[in-house]
Every structure is written in structure tokens, then in C-alpha cells.
Amino acid sequence: MIILSKLADYGVIVATHLASVAPAQVNAVHLAADTRLPQTTVAKVLKLLSKAGVVSAVRGAAGGYRLARHAQEISVAEIVAAIDGDFAMTQCTSKIGPCDRLHYCPTRPHWHRINQAVGDALGNITLGEMIQPSHPIPSFAPQFNIETTAP
């Protein structure tokens, strides 16, 4: 199973909520309540998103957070990268260090292609799309056309 970290998932939730109320700004307490996430987690996510330039913060009594750019200009990949760092599905596609099988692994070049495809997919979905009503997911179940012939 391929799964994002909980914090990256929460980052997408927080950023999507900010997109849904844009251009308004929301303080961390209200964001936590609105998203039903722990306030300390929301504060951590906002700090990371702010550092990455995804959200901007206004200090003070009337302060809060808002998206730093239009929702259509911020991809899910950007949010995931702000929380988890560069996207990598396997060690050989990460910057962690070389794998022990580096020189003889037959799957290595293919993992780079897969990693790129998944990264591109996340990069092609924007916050603007995330706030749109959900559409049914198409079924990718194979369709069999069985023809029978009389003996």
C-alpha cells in the first residue's frame, strides 16, 4: 500500500479548507474546529505550509491564515512536498541514499518512471479542483465480452 503521511494528508485538508473560504483568512483555532483536527497539528501544518509559501500569515488579534496564491495555482504535490519533502515511492527514487541493490536491480529504472507518474498526477490536481463537488469515480473493472457459439 502506498500512503501519504498523516501530516501530509492533514496539510491537504487544511489547505483545501483555506481554498474553500478564500480570500478570507482563518485563525488556527477556527481552522482546527472547522477541519476537526487537533489544534497543535493544525499549527504544525500551517507553519510548514507557510514556510513553503503555500499560505501566508497575518499576526495580531485579527490575524489568521490564507492561501498565498490562488487555489488553481497550488497543486496537491506542492502541499505534500511542503509537509513530507520530495516525493519518493522507493529508496532508489529518494535522496535518502543509494540502495544496496543499486547496480543490479532490474526494477530501478521503472520505479523512476512510476515515481514521476505519481508525482505528475499529484501535480496536476490543484486546490481549486479539490474544492469542487465530487464526481463519481469511473469503474476500471475489466469488461468481458463473452461470445458463445453453439456446438
Side-chain angles (χ1 to χ4, degrees):
M1 173 187 329
I2 300 168
I3 191 164
L4 295 175
S5 72
K6 273 189 178 181
L7 204 58
D9 181 23
Y10 296 161
V12 174
I13 292 169
V14 167
T16 300
H17 182 72
L18 287 173
S20 73
V21 299
Q25 66 186 29
V26 183
N27 69 34
V29 173
H30 287 114
L31 261 171
D34 292 346
T35 59
R36 298 183 180 149
L37 295 172
Q39 189 174 343
T40 55
T41 302
V42 169
K44 183 174 183 177
V45 164
L46 288 168
K47 182 177 179 180
L48 293 167
L49 292 176
S50 181
K51 183 178 179 184
V54 174
V55 301
S56 59
V58 176
R59 293 184 179 259
Y65 294 86
R66 68 173 57 143
L67 294 180
R69 291 171 276 135
H70 191 273
Q72 293 290 24
E73 299 172 4
I74 301 171
S75 72
V76 171
E78 186 177 352
I79 295 162
V80 171
I83 306 295
D84 285 347
D86 292 333
F87 181 77
M89 295 184 59
T90 61
Q91 185 176 353
C92 66
T93 59
S94 73
K95 295 179 182 173
I96 294 172
C99 171
D100 295 338
R101 305 174 58 84
L102 180 67
H103 299 293
Y104 58 88
C105 179
T107 65
R108 185 171 187 263
H110 303 289
W111 278 114
H112 283 284
R113 287 184 31 232
I114 294 166
N115 193 72
Q116 184 66 46
V118 173
D120 289 347
L122 292 174
N124 288 328
I125 305 288
T126 68
L127 288 179
E129 292 171 287
M130 294 291 285
I131 61 174
Q132 297 303 315
S134 177
H135 299 289
I137 299 172
S139 172
F140 292 105
Q143 302 294 319
F144 297 102
N145 187 5
I146 301 174
E147 294 182 23
T148 57
T149 56

